[in-house]
mmCIF file of all heavy atoms in Angstrom:
data_model
loop_
_atom_site.group_PDB
_atom_site.id
_atom_site.type_symbol
_atom_site.label_atom_id
_atom_site.label_comp_id
_atom_site.label_asym_id
_atom_site.label_seq_id
_atom_site.Cartn_x
_atom_site.Cartn_y
_atom_site.Cartn_z
ATOM 1 N N PRO A 30 45.803 56.478 -51.289
ATOM 2 C CA PRO A 30 45.499 57.531 -50.321
ATOM 3 C C PRO A 30 45.289 56.731 -48.989
ATOM 4 O O PRO A 30 44.964 55.664 -48.835
ATOM 5 C CB PRO A 30 44.170 57.908 -50.921
ATOM 6 C CG PRO A 30 44.146 57.539 -52.390
ATOM 7 C CD PRO A 30 45.036 56.411 -52.504
ATOM 8 N N VAL A 31 45.446 57.587 -47.938
ATOM 9 C CA VAL A 31 45.195 57.169 -46.556
ATOM 10 C C VAL A 31 43.910 56.614 -46.398
ATOM 11 O O VAL A 31 43.722 55.587 -45.687
ATOM 12 C CB VAL A 31 45.633 58.287 -45.604
ATOM 13 C CG1 VAL A 31 45.320 57.865 -44.164
ATOM 14 C CG2 VAL A 31 47.058 58.687 -45.722
ATOM 15 N N ALA A 32 42.874 57.261 -46.956
ATOM 16 C CA ALA A 32 41.442 56.836 -46.874
ATOM 17 C C ALA A 32 41.342 55.424 -47.305
ATOM 18 O O ALA A 32 40.582 54.569 -46.599
ATOM 19 C CB ALA A 32 40.590 57.816 -47.550
ATOM 20 N N ASP A 33 42.016 55.084 -48.396
ATOM 21 C CA ASP A 33 41.863 53.650 -49.011
ATOM 22 C C ASP A 33 42.637 52.661 -48.000
ATOM 23 O O ASP A 33 42.067 51.580 -47.823
ATOM 24 C CB ASP A 33 42.374 53.598 -50.346
ATOM 25 C CG ASP A 33 41.635 54.356 -51.382
ATOM 26 O OD1 ASP A 33 40.577 54.887 -51.064
ATOM 27 O OD2 ASP A 33 42.064 54.491 -52.564
ATOM 28 N N LEU A 34 43.654 53.048 -47.578
ATOM 29 C CA LEU A 34 44.321 52.141 -46.559
ATOM 30 C C LEU A 34 43.592 52.003 -45.356
ATOM 31 O O LEU A 34 43.387 50.785 -44.928
ATOM 32 C CB LEU A 34 45.780 52.854 -46.244
ATOM 33 C CG LEU A 34 46.803 52.924 -47.331
ATOM 34 C CD1 LEU A 34 48.055 53.749 -46.861
ATOM 35 C CD2 LEU A 34 47.263 51.508 -47.767
ATOM 36 N N ALA A 35 42.895 53.073 -44.901
ATOM 37 C CA ALA A 35 42.117 52.862 -43.641
ATOM 38 C C ALA A 35 40.916 52.017 -43.805
ATOM 39 O O ALA A 35 40.550 51.165 -43.084
ATOM 40 C CB ALA A 35 41.689 54.229 -43.118
ATOM 41 N N ALA A 36 40.322 52.171 -44.977
ATOM 42 C CA ALA A 36 39.065 51.422 -45.237
ATOM 43 C C ALA A 36 39.320 49.873 -45.431
ATOM 44 O O ALA A 36 38.502 49.179 -45.019
ATOM 45 C CB ALA A 36 38.399 51.885 -46.608
ATOM 46 N N ALA A 37 40.544 49.641 -45.909
ATOM 47 C CA ALA A 37 40.907 48.189 -45.987
ATOM 48 C C ALA A 37 41.129 47.516 -44.744
ATOM 49 O O ALA A 37 40.877 46.267 -44.536
ATOM 50 C CB ALA A 37 42.267 48.100 -46.828
ATOM 51 N N VAL A 38 41.318 48.261 -43.533
ATOM 52 C CA VAL A 38 41.295 47.609 -42.328
ATOM 53 C C VAL A 38 40.199 48.153 -41.324
ATOM 54 O O VAL A 38 40.280 48.020 -40.129
ATOM 55 C CB VAL A 38 42.729 47.832 -41.635
ATOM 56 C CG1 VAL A 38 43.719 47.160 -42.304
ATOM 57 C CG2 VAL A 38 43.051 49.302 -41.572
ATOM 58 N N ASP A 39 39.151 48.674 -41.909
ATOM 59 C CA ASP A 39 37.860 49.105 -41.252
ATOM 60 C C ASP A 39 38.308 50.197 -40.142
ATOM 61 O O ASP A 39 37.761 50.147 -38.998
ATOM 62 C CB ASP A 39 37.182 47.985 -40.494
ATOM 63 C CG ASP A 39 36.681 47.014 -41.608
ATOM 64 O OD1 ASP A 39 36.138 47.409 -42.613
ATOM 65 O OD2 ASP A 39 36.792 45.756 -41.361
ATOM 66 N N LEU A 40 39.091 51.154 -40.457
ATOM 67 C CA LEU A 40 39.367 52.144 -39.550
ATOM 68 C C LEU A 40 39.079 53.526 -40.356
ATOM 69 O O LEU A 40 39.068 53.563 -41.473
ATOM 70 C CB LEU A 40 40.878 52.143 -39.113
ATOM 71 C CG LEU A 40 41.346 50.951 -38.266
ATOM 72 C CD1 LEU A 40 42.806 51.005 -38.130
ATOM 73 C CD2 LEU A 40 40.645 50.995 -36.866
ATOM 74 N N SER A 41 39.019 54.653 -39.562
ATOM 75 C CA SER A 41 38.921 55.953 -40.166
ATOM 76 C C SER A 41 40.319 56.368 -40.392
ATOM 77 O O SER A 41 41.277 55.854 -39.728
ATOM 78 C CB SER A 41 38.307 56.915 -39.177
ATOM 79 O OG SER A 41 39.120 57.197 -38.010
ATOM 80 N N ALA A 42 40.618 57.343 -41.251
ATOM 81 C CA ALA A 42 41.840 57.759 -41.620
ATOM 82 C C ALA A 42 42.646 58.319 -40.254
ATOM 83 O O ALA A 42 43.803 58.109 -40.210
ATOM 84 C CB ALA A 42 41.756 58.888 -42.633
ATOM 85 N N ASP A 43 41.926 59.045 -39.552
ATOM 86 C CA ASP A 43 42.498 59.656 -38.295
ATOM 87 C C ASP A 43 42.972 58.601 -37.365
ATOM 88 O O ASP A 43 44.014 58.619 -36.842
ATOM 89 C CB ASP A 43 41.597 60.595 -37.579
ATOM 90 C CG ASP A 43 41.376 61.946 -38.412
ATOM 91 O OD1 ASP A 43 42.253 62.212 -39.311
ATOM 92 O OD2 ASP A 43 40.434 62.711 -38.210
ATOM 93 N N TRP A 44 42.095 57.591 -37.175
ATOM 94 C CA TRP A 44 42.350 56.507 -36.306
ATOM 95 C C TRP A 44 43.571 55.695 -36.830
ATOM 96 O O TRP A 44 44.399 55.215 -36.036
ATOM 97 C CB TRP A 44 41.077 55.657 -36.030
ATOM 98 C CG TRP A 44 41.549 54.485 -34.931
ATOM 99 C CD1 TRP A 44 41.487 53.233 -35.274
ATOM 100 C CD2 TRP A 44 41.778 54.735 -33.522
ATOM 101 N NE1 TRP A 44 41.752 52.515 -33.901
ATOM 102 C CE2 TRP A 44 41.938 53.464 -32.988
ATOM 103 C CE3 TRP A 44 41.881 55.960 -32.759
ATOM 104 C CZ2 TRP A 44 42.281 53.422 -31.701
ATOM 105 C CZ3 TRP A 44 42.212 55.765 -31.401
ATOM 106 C CH2 TRP A 44 42.405 54.468 -30.940
ATOM 107 N N LEU A 45 43.549 55.409 -38.038
ATOM 108 C CA LEU A 45 44.744 54.758 -38.701
ATOM 109 C C LEU A 45 45.923 55.504 -38.333
ATOM 110 O O LEU A 45 47.050 54.928 -38.071
ATOM 111 C CB LEU A 45 44.574 54.524 -40.246
ATOM 112 C CG LEU A 45 45.789 53.961 -40.841
ATOM 113 C CD1 LEU A 45 46.121 52.603 -40.382
ATOM 114 C CD2 LEU A 45 45.435 53.847 -42.465
ATOM 115 N N ARG A 46 45.988 56.668 -38.637
ATOM 116 C CA ARG A 46 47.261 57.539 -38.347
ATOM 117 C C ARG A 46 47.725 57.395 -36.918
ATOM 118 O O ARG A 46 48.913 57.178 -36.551
ATOM 119 C CB ARG A 46 47.020 59.000 -38.749
ATOM 120 C CG ARG A 46 46.948 59.372 -40.142
ATOM 121 C CD ARG A 46 46.862 60.820 -40.422
ATOM 122 N NE ARG A 46 46.746 61.102 -41.817
ATOM 123 C CZ ARG A 46 45.527 61.437 -42.301
ATOM 124 N NH1 ARG A 46 44.443 61.351 -41.732
ATOM 125 N NH2 ARG A 46 45.534 61.718 -43.657
ATOM 126 N N ARG A 47 46.856 57.417 -36.035
ATOM 127 C CA ARG A 47 47.102 57.311 -34.551
ATOM 128 C C ARG A 47 47.590 55.923 -34.256
ATOM 129 O O ARG A 47 48.725 55.711 -33.623
ATOM 130 C CB ARG A 47 45.954 57.690 -33.723
ATOM 131 C CG ARG A 47 45.682 59.090 -33.626
ATOM 132 C CD ARG A 47 44.639 59.493 -32.472
ATOM 133 N NE ARG A 47 43.387 58.844 -32.724
ATOM 134 C CZ ARG A 47 42.315 59.421 -33.285
ATOM 135 N NH1 ARG A 47 42.474 60.675 -33.874
ATOM 136 N NH2 ARG A 47 41.152 58.757 -33.389
ATOM 137 N N LEU A 48 46.905 54.956 -34.845
ATOM 138 C CA LEU A 48 47.291 53.493 -34.436
ATOM 139 C C LEU A 48 48.716 53.274 -35.191
ATOM 140 O O LEU A 48 49.561 52.548 -34.551
ATOM 141 C CB LEU A 48 46.327 52.567 -34.994
ATOM 142 C CG LEU A 48 46.500 51.064 -34.658
ATOM 143 C CD1 LEU A 48 46.663 50.768 -33.140
ATOM 144 C CD2 LEU A 48 45.382 50.211 -35.397
ATOM 145 N N PHE A 49 48.872 53.688 -36.328
ATOM 146 C CA PHE A 49 50.203 53.451 -37.074
ATOM 147 C C PHE A 49 51.330 54.011 -36.347
ATOM 148 O O PHE A 49 52.404 53.286 -36.099
ATOM 149 C CB PHE A 49 50.004 53.998 -38.512
ATOM 150 C CG PHE A 49 51.152 53.492 -39.308
ATOM 151 C CD1 PHE A 49 50.894 52.563 -40.226
ATOM 152 C CD2 PHE A 49 52.354 54.086 -39.253
ATOM 153 C CE1 PHE A 49 51.946 52.034 -41.030
ATOM 154 C CE2 PHE A 49 53.485 53.675 -40.155
ATOM 155 C CZ PHE A 49 53.240 52.679 -41.072
ATOM 156 N N ALA A 50 51.180 55.240 -35.813
ATOM 157 C CA ALA A 50 52.356 55.856 -35.037
ATOM 158 C C ALA A 50 52.633 55.087 -33.824
ATOM 159 O O ALA A 50 53.819 54.912 -33.546
ATOM 160 C CB ALA A 50 51.994 57.355 -34.713
ATOM 161 N N ALA A 51 51.637 54.596 -33.135
ATOM 162 C CA ALA A 51 51.784 53.907 -31.893
ATOM 163 C C ALA A 51 52.404 52.658 -32.107
ATOM 164 O O ALA A 51 53.420 52.177 -31.356
ATOM 165 C CB ALA A 51 50.426 53.812 -31.100
ATOM 166 N N GLU A 52 51.956 51.904 -33.187
ATOM 167 C CA GLU A 52 52.521 50.560 -33.429
ATOM 168 C C GLU A 52 53.834 50.528 -34.146
ATOM 169 O O GLU A 52 54.772 49.814 -33.821
ATOM 170 C CB GLU A 52 51.428 49.859 -34.232
ATOM 171 C CG GLU A 52 50.197 49.300 -33.443
ATOM 172 C CD GLU A 52 50.643 48.117 -32.402
ATOM 173 O OE1 GLU A 52 51.144 47.243 -32.925
ATOM 174 O OE2 GLU A 52 50.207 48.354 -31.376
ATOM 175 N N ALA A 53 53.955 51.404 -35.127
ATOM 176 C CA ALA A 53 55.088 51.374 -36.013
ATOM 177 C C ALA A 53 56.322 52.065 -35.393
ATOM 178 O O ALA A 53 57.441 51.922 -35.789
ATOM 179 C CB ALA A 53 54.843 51.822 -37.411
ATOM 180 N N GLY A 54 55.929 53.099 -34.592
ATOM 181 C CA GLY A 54 57.037 53.862 -34.056
ATOM 182 C C GLY A 54 57.384 55.205 -34.759
ATOM 183 O O GLY A 54 58.296 55.855 -34.344
ATOM 184 N N LEU A 55 56.599 55.492 -35.789
ATOM 185 C CA LEU A 55 56.785 56.743 -36.563
ATOM 186 C C LEU A 55 55.508 57.049 -37.381
ATOM 187 O O LEU A 55 54.670 56.195 -37.519
ATOM 188 C CB LEU A 55 58.048 56.570 -37.542
ATOM 189 C CG LEU A 55 57.857 55.975 -38.766
ATOM 190 C CD1 LEU A 55 59.127 56.347 -39.653
ATOM 191 C CD2 LEU A 55 57.690 54.537 -38.647
ATOM 192 N N PRO A 56 55.288 58.208 -37.770
ATOM 193 C CA PRO A 56 54.143 58.529 -38.425
ATOM 194 C C PRO A 56 53.987 57.727 -39.839
ATOM 195 O O PRO A 56 54.946 57.430 -40.377
ATOM 196 C CB PRO A 56 54.078 60.028 -38.731
ATOM 197 C CG PRO A 56 55.003 60.585 -37.627
ATOM 198 C CD PRO A 56 55.999 59.484 -37.412
ATOM 199 N N LEU A 57 52.740 57.556 -40.257
ATOM 200 C CA LEU A 57 52.556 56.877 -41.525
ATOM 201 C C LEU A 57 53.256 57.606 -42.655
ATOM 202 O O LEU A 57 53.816 56.863 -43.575
ATOM 203 C CB LEU A 57 50.975 56.758 -41.759
ATOM 204 C CG LEU A 57 50.498 55.873 -42.881
ATOM 205 C CD1 LEU A 57 49.320 55.322 -42.621
ATOM 206 C CD2 LEU A 57 50.403 56.636 -44.213
ATOM 207 N N GLY A 58 53.270 58.887 -42.720
ATOM 208 C CA GLY A 58 53.727 59.646 -43.815
ATOM 209 C C GLY A 58 55.375 59.346 -43.911
ATOM 210 O O GLY A 58 55.896 59.205 -44.943
ATOM 211 N N ARG A 59 56.052 59.235 -42.718
ATOM 212 C CA ARG A 59 57.460 58.959 -42.830
ATOM 213 C C ARG A 59 57.737 57.648 -43.240
ATOM 214 O O ARG A 59 58.666 57.353 -43.833
ATOM 215 C CB ARG A 59 58.072 59.215 -41.407
ATOM 216 C CG ARG A 59 58.083 60.832 -41.051
ATOM 217 C CD ARG A 59 58.817 60.976 -39.737
ATOM 218 N NE ARG A 59 58.760 62.361 -39.310
ATOM 219 C CZ ARG A 59 59.388 62.828 -38.238
ATOM 220 N NH1 ARG A 59 60.055 62.054 -37.508
ATOM 221 N NH2 ARG A 59 59.357 64.125 -37.994
ATOM 222 N N TYR A 60 56.813 56.605 -42.846
ATOM 223 C CA TYR A 60 57.018 55.386 -43.296
ATOM 224 C C TYR A 60 56.930 55.243 -44.864
ATOM 225 O O TYR A 60 57.766 54.622 -45.520
ATOM 226 C CB TYR A 60 55.855 54.377 -42.703
ATOM 227 C CG TYR A 60 56.164 52.889 -42.899
ATOM 228 C CD1 TYR A 60 56.931 52.138 -42.071
ATOM 229 C CD2 TYR A 60 55.588 52.252 -43.965
ATOM 230 C CE1 TYR A 60 57.133 50.799 -42.349
ATOM 231 C CE2 TYR A 60 55.712 50.996 -44.296
ATOM 232 C CZ TYR A 60 56.494 50.158 -43.518
ATOM 233 O OH TYR A 60 56.715 48.866 -43.696
ATOM 234 N N GLU A 61 55.987 55.904 -45.393
ATOM 235 C CA GLU A 61 55.780 56.036 -46.826
ATOM 236 C C GLU A 61 56.972 56.576 -47.550
ATOM 237 O O GLU A 61 57.439 56.140 -48.558
ATOM 238 C CB GLU A 61 54.484 56.644 -47.118
ATOM 239 C CG GLU A 61 54.139 56.654 -48.581
ATOM 240 C CD GLU A 61 54.651 57.730 -49.466
ATOM 241 O OE1 GLU A 61 55.111 58.726 -48.929
ATOM 242 O OE2 GLU A 61 54.627 57.599 -50.670
ATOM 243 N N MET A 62 57.546 57.572 -46.916
ATOM 244 C CA MET A 62 58.726 58.294 -47.464
ATOM 245 C C MET A 62 59.875 57.368 -47.482
ATOM 246 O O MET A 62 60.834 57.290 -48.245
ATOM 247 C CB MET A 62 59.144 59.555 -46.662
ATOM 248 C CG MET A 62 60.353 60.181 -47.316
ATOM 249 S SD MET A 62 60.196 60.661 -49.107
ATOM 250 C CE MET A 62 58.730 61.780 -48.995
ATOM 251 N N THR A 63 60.073 56.468 -46.378
ATOM 252 C CA THR A 63 61.021 55.495 -46.310
ATOM 253 C C THR A 63 60.939 54.551 -47.559
ATOM 254 O O THR A 63 62.028 54.197 -47.966
ATOM 255 C CB THR A 63 60.933 54.703 -44.901
ATOM 256 O OG1 THR A 63 61.132 55.670 -43.812
ATOM 257 C CG2 THR A 63 62.044 53.635 -44.860
ATOM 258 N N LEU A 64 59.819 54.088 -47.806
ATOM 259 C CA LEU A 64 59.608 53.156 -48.896
ATOM 260 C C LEU A 64 60.147 53.841 -50.205
ATOM 261 O O LEU A 64 60.680 53.176 -51.082
ATOM 262 C CB LEU A 64 58.123 52.684 -49.055
ATOM 263 C CG LEU A 64 57.570 51.896 -47.913
ATOM 264 C CD1 LEU A 64 56.209 51.529 -48.083
ATOM 265 C CD2 LEU A 64 58.306 50.533 -47.738
ATOM 266 N N ARG A 65 59.771 55.059 -50.408
ATOM 267 C CA ARG A 65 60.173 55.799 -51.709
ATOM 268 C C ARG A 65 61.721 55.809 -51.731
ATOM 269 O O ARG A 65 62.373 55.578 -52.803
ATOM 270 C CB ARG A 65 59.710 57.127 -51.728
ATOM 271 C CG ARG A 65 58.137 57.266 -51.940
ATOM 272 C CD ARG A 65 57.737 58.653 -52.175
ATOM 273 N NE ARG A 65 56.279 58.841 -52.229
ATOM 274 C CZ ARG A 65 55.722 59.947 -52.648
ATOM 275 N NH1 ARG A 65 56.395 60.964 -52.979
ATOM 276 N NH2 ARG A 65 54.452 59.971 -52.542
ATOM 277 N N LEU A 66 62.463 56.217 -50.638
ATOM 278 C CA LEU A 66 63.834 56.284 -50.577
ATOM 279 C C LEU A 66 64.501 54.923 -50.855
ATOM 280 O O LEU A 66 65.497 54.843 -51.405
ATOM 281 C CB LEU A 66 64.330 56.828 -49.235
ATOM 282 C CG LEU A 66 63.926 58.334 -49.077
ATOM 283 C CD1 LEU A 66 64.352 58.899 -47.614
ATOM 284 C CD2 LEU A 66 64.613 59.308 -50.088
ATOM 285 N N GLN A 67 63.915 53.855 -50.228
ATOM 286 C CA GLN A 67 64.419 52.505 -50.449
ATOM 287 C C GLN A 67 64.312 52.198 -52.001
ATOM 288 O O GLN A 67 65.321 51.585 -52.517
ATOM 289 C CB GLN A 67 63.654 51.535 -49.702
ATOM 290 C CG GLN A 67 63.944 51.527 -48.245
ATOM 291 C CD GLN A 67 63.015 50.628 -47.343
ATOM 292 O OE1 GLN A 67 62.026 50.091 -47.946
ATOM 293 N NE2 GLN A 67 63.467 50.333 -46.217
ATOM 294 N N THR A 68 63.364 52.532 -52.613
ATOM 295 C CA THR A 68 63.208 52.249 -54.067
ATOM 296 C C THR A 68 64.335 53.017 -54.819
ATOM 297 O O THR A 68 64.757 52.428 -55.764
ATOM 298 C CB THR A 68 61.676 52.672 -54.538
ATOM 299 O OG1 THR A 68 60.729 51.759 -53.788
ATOM 300 C CG2 THR A 68 61.601 52.391 -56.011
#
């Protein structure tokens, strides 16, 4: 869950989503879907 991912890096879920999109270049959900399609 996003909440668990956020807690692991001491961020709120909303802040993680914003930071992830800014750093990675796409939303967290699309990154997760990419991993599924690669598998």
Side-chain angles (χ1 to χ4, degrees):
V31 176
D33 291 355
L34 294 169
V38 290
D39 297 321
L40 295 173
S41 68
D43 287 343
W44 184 248
L45 172 60
R46 289 189 180 96
R47 289 195 292 270
L48 182 62
F49 193 100
E52 285 288 312
L55 81 168
L57 187 149
R59 290 190 183 179
Y60 187 89
E61 190 267 345
M62 182 56 64
T63 297
L64 293 176
R65 291 191 189 188
L66 291 172
Q67 287 176 343
T68 300

